[in-house]
Amino acid sequence: MRIKINLQCSECGSKNYLTSKNSKTHPQKIEVLKYCPKERKVTLHVETK
């Protein structure tokens, strides 16, 4: 079962990306390195609902 999630920047707090994940295979929160347009650099983005 896939659920929709938002990815939030850990530095500035803005929600930049919408994505989905399979909750059965990845029950823990996702942490991904993505580009943040506010910070203008690659930062760690964490999963939010």
Side-chain angles (χ1 to χ4, degrees):
M1 179 174 137
R2 297 193 73 80
I3 58 171
K4 294 182 181 178
I5 58 171
N6 289 326
L7 295 177
Q8 182 177 13
C9 180
S10 60
E11 291 189 17
C12 68
S14 62
K15 295 181 180 176
N16 296 324
Y17 295 96
L18 296 175
T19 188
S20 63
K21 74 170 187 174
N22 189 340
S23 60
K24 289 191 178 195
T25 58
H26 298 286
Q28 65 277 11
K29 287 192 173 188
I30 293 177
E31 294 181 346
V32 184
L33 289 174
K34 290 274 196 180
Y35 178 77
C36 180
K38 273 191 173 179
E39 297 287 322
R40 295 184 183 169
K41 61 182 178 179
V42 175
T43 60
L44 183 70
H45 283 69
V46 292
E47 172 188 342
T48 60
K49 291 281 178 173

mmCIF file of all heavy atoms in Angstrom:
data_model
loop_
_atom_site.group_PDB
_atom_site.id
_atom_site.type_symbol
_atom_site.label_atom_id
_atom_site.label_comp_id
_atom_site.label_asym_id
_atom_site.label_seq_id
_atom_site.Cartn_x
_atom_site.Cartn_y
_atom_site.Cartn_z
ATOM 1 N N MET A 1 0.840 -1.183 0.000
ATOM 2 C CA MET A 1 0.000 0.000 0.000
ATOM 3 C C MET A 1 0.882 1.242 0.000
ATOM 4 O O MET A 1 1.722 1.425 0.866
ATOM 5 C CB MET A 1 -0.879 -0.026 1.247
ATOM 6 C CG MET A 1 -1.775 1.155 1.368
ATOM 7 S SD MET A 1 -2.858 0.927 2.759
ATOM 8 C CE MET A 1 -2.789 2.542 3.439
ATOM 9 N N ARG A 2 0.709 2.098 -0.981
ATOM 10 C CA ARG A 2 1.508 3.323 -1.098
ATOM 11 C C ARG A 2 0.751 4.477 -0.440
ATOM 12 O O ARG A 2 -0.452 4.612 -0.616
ATOM 13 C CB ARG A 2 1.796 3.633 -2.551
ATOM 14 C CG ARG A 2 2.639 2.538 -3.195
ATOM 15 C CD ARG A 2 3.199 2.929 -4.511
ATOM 16 N NE ARG A 2 4.288 3.879 -4.440
ATOM 17 C CZ ARG A 2 5.543 3.574 -4.160
ATOM 18 N NH1 ARG A 2 5.867 2.349 -3.895
ATOM 19 N NH2 ARG A 2 6.471 4.502 -4.152
ATOM 20 N N ILE A 3 1.492 5.294 0.308
ATOM 21 C CA ILE A 3 0.904 6.477 0.930
ATOM 22 C C ILE A 3 1.643 7.712 0.432
ATOM 23 O O ILE A 3 2.821 7.649 0.094
ATOM 24 C CB ILE A 3 0.953 6.395 2.474
ATOM 25 C CG1 ILE A 3 2.385 6.236 2.976
ATOM 26 C CG2 ILE A 3 0.094 5.255 2.976
ATOM 27 C CD1 ILE A 3 2.537 6.354 4.459
ATOM 28 N N LYS A 4 0.941 8.836 0.385
ATOM 29 C CA LYS A 4 1.550 10.091 -0.051
ATOM 30 C C LYS A 4 2.176 10.782 1.150
ATOM 31 O O LYS A 4 1.600 10.816 2.237
ATOM 32 C CB LYS A 4 0.503 10.995 -0.683
ATOM 33 C CG LYS A 4 -0.049 10.444 -1.967
ATOM 34 C CD LYS A 4 -1.045 11.372 -2.583
ATOM 35 C CE LYS A 4 -1.590 10.773 -3.858
ATOM 36 N NZ LYS A 4 -2.603 11.612 -4.480
ATOM 37 N N ILE A 5 3.377 11.331 0.944
ATOM 38 C CA ILE A 5 4.094 12.021 2.004
ATOM 39 C C ILE A 5 4.678 13.314 1.467
ATOM 40 O O ILE A 5 4.864 13.475 0.264
ATOM 41 C CB ILE A 5 5.224 11.152 2.610
ATOM 42 C CG1 ILE A 5 6.223 10.734 1.534
ATOM 43 C CG2 ILE A 5 4.667 9.951 3.321
ATOM 44 C CD1 ILE A 5 7.456 10.075 2.072
ATOM 45 N N ASN A 6 4.958 14.251 2.366
ATOM 46 C CA ASN A 6 5.685 15.477 2.053
ATOM 47 C C ASN A 6 7.095 15.341 2.596
ATOM 48 O O ASN A 6 7.307 14.714 3.628
ATOM 49 C CB ASN A 6 5.026 16.693 2.714
ATOM 50 C CG ASN A 6 3.720 17.047 2.070
ATOM 51 O OD1 ASN A 6 3.548 16.896 0.878
ATOM 52 N ND2 ASN A 6 2.784 17.521 2.872
ATOM 53 N N LEU A 7 8.042 15.952 1.899
ATOM 54 C CA LEU A 7 9.415 15.997 2.388
ATOM 55 C C LEU A 7 9.715 17.423 2.828
ATOM 56 O O LEU A 7 9.533 18.368 2.064
ATOM 57 C CB LEU A 7 10.395 15.552 1.303
ATOM 58 C CG LEU A 7 10.282 14.103 0.868
ATOM 59 C CD1 LEU A 7 11.258 13.819 -0.259
ATOM 60 C CD2 LEU A 7 10.540 13.161 2.019
ATOM 61 N N GLN A 8 10.157 17.568 4.076
ATOM 62 C CA GLN A 8 10.407 18.875 4.670
ATOM 63 C C GLN A 8 11.898 19.067 4.885
ATOM 64 O O GLN A 8 12.584 18.169 5.368
ATOM 65 C CB GLN A 8 9.677 18.973 6.010
ATOM 66 C CG GLN A 8 9.824 20.303 6.687
ATOM 67 C CD GLN A 8 9.038 20.372 7.973
ATOM 68 O OE1 GLN A 8 8.576 19.358 8.481
ATOM 69 N NE2 GLN A 8 8.882 21.554 8.495
ATOM 70 N N CYS A 9 12.400 20.256 4.528
ATOM 71 C CA CYS A 9 13.807 20.585 4.707
ATOM 72 C C CYS A 9 14.135 20.650 6.201
ATOM 73 O O CYS A 9 13.401 21.247 6.973
ATOM 74 C CB CYS A 9 14.117 21.915 4.027
ATOM 75 S SG CYS A 9 15.834 22.426 4.199
ATOM 76 N N SER A 10 15.246 20.039 6.584
ATOM 77 C CA SER A 10 15.620 20.030 7.995
ATOM 78 C C SER A 10 16.253 21.351 8.428
ATOM 79 O O SER A 10 16.313 21.641 9.618
ATOM 80 C CB SER A 10 16.585 18.877 8.271
ATOM 81 O OG SER A 10 17.752 19.033 7.495
ATOM 82 N N GLU A 11 16.713 22.178 7.490
ATOM 83 C CA GLU A 11 17.351 23.447 7.847
ATOM 84 C C GLU A 11 16.361 24.607 7.884
ATOM 85 O O GLU A 11 16.301 25.338 8.854
ATOM 86 C CB GLU A 11 18.503 23.746 6.884
ATOM 87 C CG GLU A 11 19.659 22.797 7.071
ATOM 88 C CD GLU A 11 20.883 23.214 6.285
ATOM 89 O OE1 GLU A 11 20.974 24.380 5.856
ATOM 90 O OE2 GLU A 11 21.761 22.355 6.103
ATOM 91 N N CYS A 12 15.580 24.793 6.810
ATOM 92 C CA CYS A 12 14.677 25.953 6.767
ATOM 93 C C CYS A 12 13.241 25.597 7.128
ATOM 94 O O CYS A 12 12.450 26.484 7.447
ATOM 95 C CB CYS A 12 14.713 26.623 5.396
ATOM 96 S SG CYS A 12 14.016 25.656 4.072
ATOM 97 N N GLY A 13 12.868 24.326 7.075
ATOM 98 C CA GLY A 13 11.535 23.901 7.489
ATOM 99 C C GLY A 13 10.469 23.976 6.416
ATOM 100 O O GLY A 13 9.304 23.707 6.694
ATOM 101 N N SER A 14 10.826 24.318 5.185
ATOM 102 C CA SER A 14 9.823 24.409 4.126
ATOM 103 C C SER A 14 9.554 23.022 3.540
ATOM 104 O O SER A 14 10.443 22.187 3.433
ATOM 105 C CB SER A 14 10.286 25.355 3.024
ATOM 106 O OG SER A 14 11.453 24.882 2.426
ATOM 107 N N LYS A 15 8.299 22.791 3.183
ATOM 108 C CA LYS A 15 7.891 21.527 2.580
ATOM 109 C C LYS A 15 8.034 21.661 1.077
ATOM 110 O O LYS A 15 7.247 22.317 0.422
ATOM 111 C CB LYS A 15 6.462 21.188 2.979
ATOM 112 C CG LYS A 15 6.321 20.929 4.459
ATOM 113 C CD LYS A 15 4.912 20.577 4.838
ATOM 114 C CE LYS A 15 4.815 20.334 6.335
ATOM 115 N NZ LYS A 15 3.453 20.075 6.763
ATOM 116 N N ASN A 16 9.058 21.026 0.517
ATOM 117 C CA ASN A 16 9.426 21.237 -0.871
ATOM 118 C C ASN A 16 8.939 20.157 -1.825
ATOM 119 O O ASN A 16 8.653 20.452 -2.973
ATOM 120 C CB ASN A 16 10.951 21.334 -0.997
ATOM 121 C CG ASN A 16 11.495 22.523 -0.263
ATOM 122 O OD1 ASN A 16 10.877 23.562 -0.222
ATOM 123 N ND2 ASN A 16 12.664 22.362 0.332
ATOM 124 N N TYR A 17 8.853 18.912 -1.399
ATOM 125 C CA TYR A 17 8.605 17.810 -2.321
ATOM 126 C C TYR A 17 7.426 16.966 -1.867
ATOM 127 O O TYR A 17 7.239 16.718 -0.682
ATOM 128 C CB TYR A 17 9.836 16.908 -2.430
ATOM 129 C CG TYR A 17 11.025 17.595 -3.047
ATOM 130 C CD1 TYR A 17 12.017 18.161 -2.258
ATOM 131 C CD2 TYR A 17 11.154 17.685 -4.423
ATOM 132 C CE1 TYR A 17 13.104 18.793 -2.819
ATOM 133 C CE2 TYR A 17 12.237 18.318 -5.004
ATOM 134 C CZ TYR A 17 13.205 18.860 -4.191
ATOM 135 O OH TYR A 17 14.277 19.494 -4.758
ATOM 136 N N LEU A 18 6.625 16.491 -2.836
ATOM 137 C CA LEU A 18 5.574 15.509 -2.617
ATOM 138 C C LEU A 18 6.021 14.207 -3.238
ATOM 139 O O LEU A 18 6.508 14.182 -4.365
ATOM 140 C CB LEU A 18 4.267 15.958 -3.276
ATOM 141 C CG LEU A 18 3.621 17.214 -2.735
ATOM 142 C CD1 LEU A 18 2.409 17.575 -3.586
ATOM 143 C CD2 LEU A 18 3.210 17.033 -1.303
ATOM 144 N N THR A 19 5.859 13.119 -2.521
ATOM 145 C CA THR A 19 6.254 11.817 -3.038
ATOM 146 C C THR A 19 5.384 10.753 -2.389
ATOM 147 O O THR A 19 4.481 11.059 -1.612
ATOM 148 C CB THR A 19 7.757 11.557 -2.787
ATOM 149 O OG1 THR A 19 8.139 10.360 -3.457
ATOM 150 C CG2 THR A 19 8.070 11.458 -1.325
ATOM 151 N N SER A 20 5.641 9.507 -2.693
ATOM 152 C CA SER A 20 4.908 8.405 -2.079
ATOM 153 C C SER A 20 5.898 7.321 -1.683
ATOM 154 O O SER A 20 7.016 7.261 -2.195
ATOM 155 C CB SER A 20 3.860 7.850 -3.037
ATOM 156 O OG SER A 20 4.475 7.315 -4.178
ATOM 157 N N LYS A 21 5.456 6.469 -0.771
ATOM 158 C CA LYS A 21 6.303 5.358 -0.351
ATOM 159 C C LYS A 21 5.421 4.158 -0.044
ATOM 160 O O LYS A 21 4.220 4.301 0.220
ATOM 161 C CB LYS A 21 7.144 5.722 0.860
ATOM 162 C CG LYS A 21 6.366 5.797 2.166
ATOM 163 C CD LYS A 21 7.291 5.908 3.348
ATOM 164 C CE LYS A 21 6.504 5.802 4.638
ATOM 165 N NZ LYS A 21 7.366 5.769 5.793
ATOM 166 N N ASN A 22 6.023 2.987 -0.081
ATOM 167 C CA ASN A 22 5.338 1.767 0.289
ATOM 168 C C ASN A 22 5.503 1.593 1.792
ATOM 169 O O ASN A 22 6.607 1.364 2.285
ATOM 170 C CB ASN A 22 5.931 0.577 -0.473
ATOM 171 C CG ASN A 22 5.119 -0.670 -0.288
ATOM 172 O OD1 ASN A 22 4.347 -0.790 0.647
ATOM 173 N ND2 ASN A 22 5.313 -1.619 -1.183
ATOM 174 N N SER A 23 4.402 1.702 2.535
ATOM 175 C CA SER A 23 4.484 1.684 3.997
ATOM 176 C C SER A 23 4.763 0.296 4.547
ATOM 177 O O SER A 23 5.215 0.170 5.685
ATOM 178 C CB SER A 23 3.209 2.242 4.601
ATOM 179 O OG SER A 23 2.097 1.470 4.207
ATOM 180 N N LYS A 24 4.521 -0.751 3.775
ATOM 181 C CA LYS A 24 4.812 -2.105 4.268
ATOM 182 C C LYS A 24 6.300 -2.416 4.211
ATOM 183 O O LYS A 24 6.836 -3.069 5.103
ATOM 184 C CB LYS A 24 4.035 -3.141 3.463
ATOM 185 C CG LYS A 24 2.563 -3.111 3.762
ATOM 186 C CD LYS A 24 1.845 -4.284 3.172
ATOM 187 C CE LYS A 24 0.380 -4.192 3.562
ATOM 188 N NZ LYS A 24 -0.313 -5.437 3.334
ATOM 189 N N THR A 25 6.979 -1.966 3.163
ATOM 190 C CA THR A 25 8.408 -2.258 3.050
ATOM 191 C C THR A 25 9.276 -1.231 3.754
ATOM 192 O O THR A 25 10.415 -1.524 4.095
ATOM 193 C CB THR A 25 8.834 -2.352 1.574
ATOM 194 O OG1 THR A 25 8.525 -1.120 0.930
ATOM 195 C CG2 THR A 25 8.117 -3.493 0.871
ATOM 196 N N HIS A 26 8.768 0.002 3.956
ATOM 197 C CA HIS A 26 9.518 1.071 4.635
ATOM 198 C C HIS A 26 8.652 1.710 5.715
ATOM 199 O O HIS A 26 8.150 2.816 5.539
ATOM 200 C CB HIS A 26 9.955 2.143 3.636
ATOM 201 C CG HIS A 26 10.866 1.640 2.574
ATOM 202 N ND1 HIS A 26 12.176 1.341 2.810
ATOM 203 C CD2 HIS A 26 10.669 1.361 1.276
ATOM 204 C CE1 HIS A 26 12.739 0.905 1.704
ATOM 205 N NE2 HIS A 26 11.836 0.903 0.753
ATOM 206 N N PRO A 27 8.477 1.043 6.859
ATOM 207 C CA PRO A 27 7.608 1.612 7.909
ATOM 208 C C PRO A 27 8.226 2.814 8.624
ATOM 209 O O PRO A 27 7.509 3.644 9.180
ATOM 210 C CB PRO A 27 7.403 0.451 8.867
ATOM 211 C CG PRO A 27 8.572 -0.440 8.651
ATOM 212 C CD PRO A 27 8.962 -0.273 7.212
ATOM 213 N N GLN A 28 9.552 2.952 8.605
ATOM 214 C CA GLN A 28 10.204 4.071 9.282
ATOM 215 C C GLN A 28 10.160 5.325 8.400
ATOM 216 O O GLN A 28 9.851 5.257 7.224
ATOM 217 C CB GLN A 28 11.651 3.727 9.658
ATOM 218 C CG GLN A 28 12.563 3.489 8.485
ATOM 219 C CD GLN A 28 12.495 2.093 7.917
ATOM 220 O OE1 GLN A 28 11.617 1.316 8.257
ATOM 221 N NE2 GLN A 28 13.409 1.793 7.025
ATOM 222 N N LYS A 29 10.493 6.480 8.990
ATOM 223 C CA LYS A 29 10.503 7.736 8.241
ATOM 224 C C LYS A 29 11.658 7.775 7.244
ATOM 225 O O LYS A 29 12.747 7.295 7.522
ATOM 226 C CB LYS A 29 10.623 8.928 9.194
ATOM 227 C CG LYS A 29 9.364 9.192 9.965
ATOM 228 C CD LYS A 29 9.431 10.520 10.651
ATOM 229 C CE LYS A 29 8.099 10.843 11.282
ATOM 230 N NZ LYS A 29 8.068 12.196 11.802
ATOM 231 N N ILE A 30 11.383 8.392 6.104
ATOM 232 C CA ILE A 30 12.378 8.505 5.043
ATOM 233 C C ILE A 30 13.213 9.766 5.259
ATOM 234 O O ILE A 30 12.685 10.814 5.623
ATOM 235 C CB ILE A 30 11.686 8.579 3.665
ATOM 236 C CG1 ILE A 30 10.990 7.262 3.351
ATOM 237 C CG2 ILE A 30 12.668 8.918 2.571
ATOM 238 C CD1 ILE A 30 10.232 7.293 2.055
ATOM 239 N N GLU A 31 14.515 9.662 5.042
ATOM 240 C CA GLU A 31 15.422 10.809 5.050
ATOM 241 C C GLU A 31 16.193 10.791 3.737
ATOM 242 O O GLU A 31 16.862 9.815 3.421
ATOM 243 C CB GLU A 31 16.379 10.733 6.230
ATOM 244 C CG GLU A 31 15.690 10.864 7.566
ATOM 245 C CD GLU A 31 16.668 10.820 8.717
ATOM 246 O OE1 GLU A 31 17.841 10.437 8.509
ATOM 247 O OE2 GLU A 31 16.257 11.172 9.830
ATOM 248 N N VAL A 32 16.073 11.877 2.951
ATOM 249 C CA VAL A 32 16.640 11.929 1.611
ATOM 250 C C VAL A 32 17.398 13.245 1.440
ATOM 251 O O VAL A 32 16.947 14.285 1.921
ATOM 252 C CB VAL A 32 15.524 11.841 0.545
ATOM 253 C CG1 VAL A 32 16.110 11.803 -0.842
ATOM 254 C CG2 VAL A 32 14.628 10.653 0.778
ATOM 255 N N LEU A 33 18.529 13.208 0.747
ATOM 256 C CA LEU A 33 19.242 14.427 0.384
ATOM 257 C C LEU A 33 18.615 14.985 -0.884
ATOM 258 O O LEU A 33 18.596 14.311 -1.921
ATOM 259 C CB LEU A 33 20.725 14.140 0.163
ATOM 260 C CG LEU A 33 21.530 13.817 1.408
ATOM 261 C CD1 LEU A 33 22.940 13.405 1.024
ATOM 262 C CD2 LEU A 33 21.562 14.996 2.344
ATOM 263 N N LYS A 34 18.058 16.197 -0.800
ATOM 264 C CA LYS A 34 17.402 16.842 -1.937
ATOM 265 C C LYS A 34 17.840 18.304 -1.995
ATOM 266 O O LYS A 34 18.308 18.868 -1.013
ATOM 267 C CB LYS A 34 15.873 16.815 -1.772
ATOM 268 C CG LYS A 34 15.245 15.464 -1.901
ATOM 269 C CD LYS A 34 14.972 15.186 -3.326
ATOM 270 C CE LYS A 34 13.996 14.043 -3.488
ATOM 271 N NZ LYS A 34 13.722 13.776 -4.860
ATOM 272 N N TYR A 35 17.613 18.930 -3.148
ATOM 273 C CA TYR A 35 17.941 20.343 -3.333
ATOM 274 C C TYR A 35 16.849 21.205 -2.710
ATOM 275 O O TYR A 35 15.657 21.005 -2.957
ATOM 276 C CB TYR A 35 18.067 20.660 -4.819
ATOM 277 C CG TYR A 35 18.360 22.113 -5.091
ATOM 278 C CD1 TYR A 35 19.635 22.628 -4.913
ATOM 279 C CD2 TYR A 35 17.360 22.969 -5.516
ATOM 280 C CE1 TYR A 35 19.916 23.952 -5.149
ATOM 281 C CE2 TYR A 35 17.625 24.308 -5.762
ATOM 282 C CZ TYR A 35 18.900 24.788 -5.577
ATOM 283 O OH TYR A 35 19.163 26.110 -5.806
ATOM 284 N N CYS A 36 17.233 22.189 -1.903
ATOM 285 C CA CYS A 36 16.300 23.141 -1.300
ATOM 286 C C CYS A 36 16.429 24.475 -2.026
ATOM 287 O O CYS A 36 17.501 25.086 -2.010
ATOM 288 C CB CYS A 36 16.593 23.319 0.177
ATOM 289 S SG CYS A 36 15.474 24.486 0.991
ATOM 290 N N PRO A 37 15.352 24.957 -2.673
ATOM 291 C CA PRO A 37 15.448 26.218 -3.405
ATOM 292 C C PRO A 37 15.634 27.439 -2.499
ATOM 293 O O PRO A 37 16.232 28.424 -2.918
ATOM 294 C CB PRO A 37 14.142 26.298 -4.180
ATOM 295 C CG PRO A 37 13.248 25.283 -3.610
ATOM 296 C CD PRO A 37 14.080 24.290 -2.877
ATOM 297 N N LYS A 38 15.153 27.396 -1.263
ATOM 298 C CA LYS A 38 15.352 28.520 -0.338
ATOM 299 C C LYS A 38 16.804 28.623 0.106
ATOM 300 O O LYS A 38 17.377 29.699 0.161
ATOM 301 C CB LYS A 38 14.459 28.364 0.892
ATOM 302 C CG LYS A 38 13.090 28.928 0.746
ATOM 303 C CD LYS A 38 12.414 28.947 2.092
ATOM 304 C CE LYS A 38 11.095 29.662 2.023
ATOM 305 N NZ LYS A 38 10.418 29.668 3.321
ATOM 306 N N GLU A 39 17.392 27.483 0.450
ATOM 307 C CA GLU A 39 18.778 27.457 0.918
ATOM 308 C C GLU A 39 19.782 27.471 -0.235
ATOM 309 O O GLU A 39 20.952 27.744 -0.029
ATOM 310 C CB GLU A 39 19.015 26.197 1.770
ATOM 311 C CG GLU A 39 18.188 26.135 3.037
ATOM 312 C CD GLU A 39 18.670 27.098 4.094
ATOM 313 O OE1 GLU A 39 19.898 27.272 4.230
ATOM 314 O OE2 GLU A 39 17.818 27.682 4.773
ATOM 315 N N ARG A 40 19.328 27.120 -1.426
ATOM 316 C CA ARG A 40 20.156 27.031 -2.627
ATOM 317 C C ARG A 40 21.303 26.038 -2.480
ATOM 318 O O ARG A 40 22.428 26.275 -2.931
ATOM 319 C CB ARG A 40 20.700 28.393 -3.033
ATOM 320 C CG ARG A 40 19.630 29.348 -3.456
ATOM 321 C CD ARG A 40 20.232 30.616 -3.940
ATOM 322 N NE ARG A 40 19.182 31.569 -4.289
ATOM 323 C CZ ARG A 40 19.413 32.831 -4.542
ATOM 324 N NH1 ARG A 40 20.624 33.320 -4.517
ATOM 325 N NH2 ARG A 40 18.410 33.623 -4.854
ATOM 326 N N LYS A 41 21.013 24.925 -1.818
ATOM 327 C CA LYS A 41 21.997 23.857 -1.691
ATOM 328 C C LYS A 41 21.275 22.540 -1.376
ATOM 329 O O LYS A 41 20.080 22.534 -1.106
ATOM 330 C CB LYS A 41 23.027 24.164 -0.599
ATOM 331 C CG LYS A 41 22.430 24.324 0.791
ATOM 332 C CD LYS A 41 23.513 24.686 1.800
ATOM 333 C CE LYS A 41 22.900 24.889 3.171
ATOM 334 N NZ LYS A 41 23.921 25.221 4.157
ATOM 335 N N VAL A 42 22.004 21.457 -1.407
ATOM 336 C CA VAL A 42 21.448 20.149 -1.107
ATOM 337 C C VAL A 42 21.416 19.978 0.399
ATOM 338 O O VAL A 42 22.437 20.151 1.080
ATOM 339 C CB VAL A 42 22.287 19.032 -1.777
ATOM 340 C CG1 VAL A 42 21.786 17.665 -1.366
ATOM 341 C CG2 VAL A 42 22.258 19.181 -3.263
ATOM 342 N N THR A 43 20.233 19.663 0.937
ATOM 343 C CA THR A 43 20.066 19.487 2.385
ATOM 344 C C THR A 43 19.299 18.196 2.647
ATOM 345 O O THR A 43 18.723 17.599 1.739
ATOM 346 C CB THR A 43 19.284 20.668 3.009
ATOM 347 O OG1 THR A 43 17.994 20.734 2.407
ATOM 348 C CG2 THR A 43 20.027 21.970 2.831
ATOM 349 N N LEU A 44 19.268 17.796 3.893
ATOM 350 C CA LEU A 44 18.536 16.613 4.314
ATOM 351 C C LEU A 44 17.050 16.950 4.411
ATOM 352 O O LEU A 44 16.667 17.926 5.061
ATOM 353 C CB LEU A 44 19.052 16.117 5.659
ATOM 354 C CG LEU A 44 18.410 14.849 6.183
ATOM 355 C CD1 LEU A 44 18.831 13.666 5.330
ATOM 356 C CD2 LEU A 44 18.808 14.625 7.609
ATOM 357 N N HIS A 45 16.208 16.153 3.761
ATOM 358 C CA HIS A 45 14.762 16.309 3.830
ATOM 359 C C HIS A 45 14.183 15.093 4.540
ATOM 360 O O HIS A 45 14.550 13.959 4.236
ATOM 361 C CB HIS A 45 14.162 16.430 2.428
ATOM 362 C CG HIS A 45 14.355 17.769 1.806
ATOM 363 N ND1 HIS A 45 15.587 18.229 1.408
ATOM 364 C CD2 HIS A 45 13.471 18.754 1.523
ATOM 365 C CE1 HIS A 45 15.442 19.445 0.911
ATOM 366 N NE2 HIS A 45 14.167 19.782 0.950
ATOM 367 N N VAL A 46 13.270 15.326 5.473
ATOM 368 C CA VAL A 46 12.656 14.243 6.245
ATOM 369 C C VAL A 46 11.166 14.177 5.938
ATOM 370 O O VAL A 46 10.549 15.165 5.508
ATOM 371 C CB VAL A 46 12.884 14.434 7.751
ATOM 372 C CG1 VAL A 46 14.352 14.263 8.098
ATOM 373 C CG2 VAL A 46 12.380 15.753 8.237
ATOM 374 N N GLU A 47 10.599 13.035 6.183
ATOM 375 C CA GLU A 47 9.193 12.772 5.883
ATOM 376 C C GLU A 47 8.262 13.462 6.886
ATOM 377 O O GLU A 47 8.517 13.453 8.083
ATOM 378 C CB GLU A 47 8.954 11.266 5.928
ATOM 379 C CG GLU A 47 7.518 10.869 5.818
ATOM 380 C CD GLU A 47 7.312 9.393 6.061
ATOM 381 O OE1 GLU A 47 8.272 8.619 5.988
ATOM 382 O OE2 GLU A 47 6.167 9.031 6.338
ATOM 383 N N THR A 48 7.185 14.068 6.371
ATOM 384 C CA THR A 48 6.099 14.568 7.203
ATOM 385 C C THR A 48 4.793 14.069 6.591
ATOM 386 O O THR A 48 4.762 13.588 5.472
ATOM 387 C CB THR A 48 6.066 16.111 7.252
ATOM 388 O OG1 THR A 48 5.876 16.611 5.930
ATOM 389 C CG2 THR A 48 7.340 16.668 7.828
ATOM 390 N N LYS A 49 3.731 14.191 7.305
ATOM 391 C CA LYS A 49 2.423 13.751 6.785
ATOM 392 C C LYS A 49 1.765 14.847 5.994
ATOM 393 O O LYS A 49 2.001 15.969 6.113
ATOM 394 C CB LYS A 49 1.494 13.354 7.926
ATOM 395 C CG LYS A 49 1.943 12.097 8.630
ATOM 396 C CD LYS A 49 1.566 10.883 7.851
ATOM 397 C CE LYS A 49 2.069 9.654 8.545
ATOM 398 N NZ LYS A 49 1.654 8.450 8.012
#
